[in-house]
Amino acid sequence: MAGLSERAAALVTSEPLMAHLATSVDDRPHVAPVWFDYADDRGVIEVLTTGRKLENIRENPRVALSIQKDENGQAQWKVTILGTATVVTDDDPRKDATRRINRKYGAEESAWPENELVRVSVGTVTVSEY
């Protein structure tokens, strides 16, 4: 897996920022904020989610992620990722991702155990710096 470029990886791992995950089924897009982690060793973005996002991914695995850094309402940079999502059904990787991602965002490591692990294989990446 190719993963993110060195510059894109440095930006998206610089601090705990929110990503927006876009899914689409029947030509009806759905965009929602998510917590994420970049697993550099596997070249994937890991997201924990439930609900409509998860249902859409199971039906159409093509997704987009947008991650942006703002200061006082002014965009500093953004990374847009197009990729293919896979729902991971193995319990151990899900628990590991839950601990890592929750810790990253300051939540209890065991919070939201109902979330499912989704890995997004990176296809194309666009980096814009302002």
Side-chain angles (χ1 to χ4, degrees), residues 16 35 37 48 95-112:
W35 289 351
D37 190 40
L48 296 163
K95 287 180 181 177
D96 177 58
T98 298
R99 283 191 295 273
R100 272 186 294 104
I101 293 171
N102 285 354
R103 188 179 322 124
K104 175 181 174 180
Y105 289 92
E108 289 188 28
E109 290 185 7
S110 60
W112 302 287

Side-chain angles (χ1 to χ4, degrees), residues 103-121:
R103 188 179 322 124
K104 175 181 174 180
Y105 289 92
E108 289 188 28
E109 290 185 7
S110 60
W112 302 287
E114 69 279 6
N115 281 343
E116 297 290 332
L117 173 59
V118 172
R119 288 186 177 142
V120 178
S121 297

Side-chain angles (χ1 to χ4, degrees), residues 19-70:
H20 286 87
L21 174 66
T23 61
S24 181
V25 172
D26 297 328
D27 293 326
R28 296 196 47 91
H30 177 77
V31 178
V34 294
W35 289 351
F36 72 96
D37 190 40
Y38 177 56
D40 186 37
D41 59 330
R42 289 185 298 280
V44 297
I45 301 284
E46 293 186 324
V47 174
L48 296 163
T49 192
T50 60
R52 170 62 52 204
K53 297 179 296 294
L54 191 60
E55 292 173 28
N56 286 356
I57 288 168
R58 285 187 168 128
E59 192 167 332
N60 177 4
R62 295 179 306 178
V63 300
L65 280 162
S66 175
I67 305 159
Q68 181 171 304
K69 165 73 175 178
D70 296 317

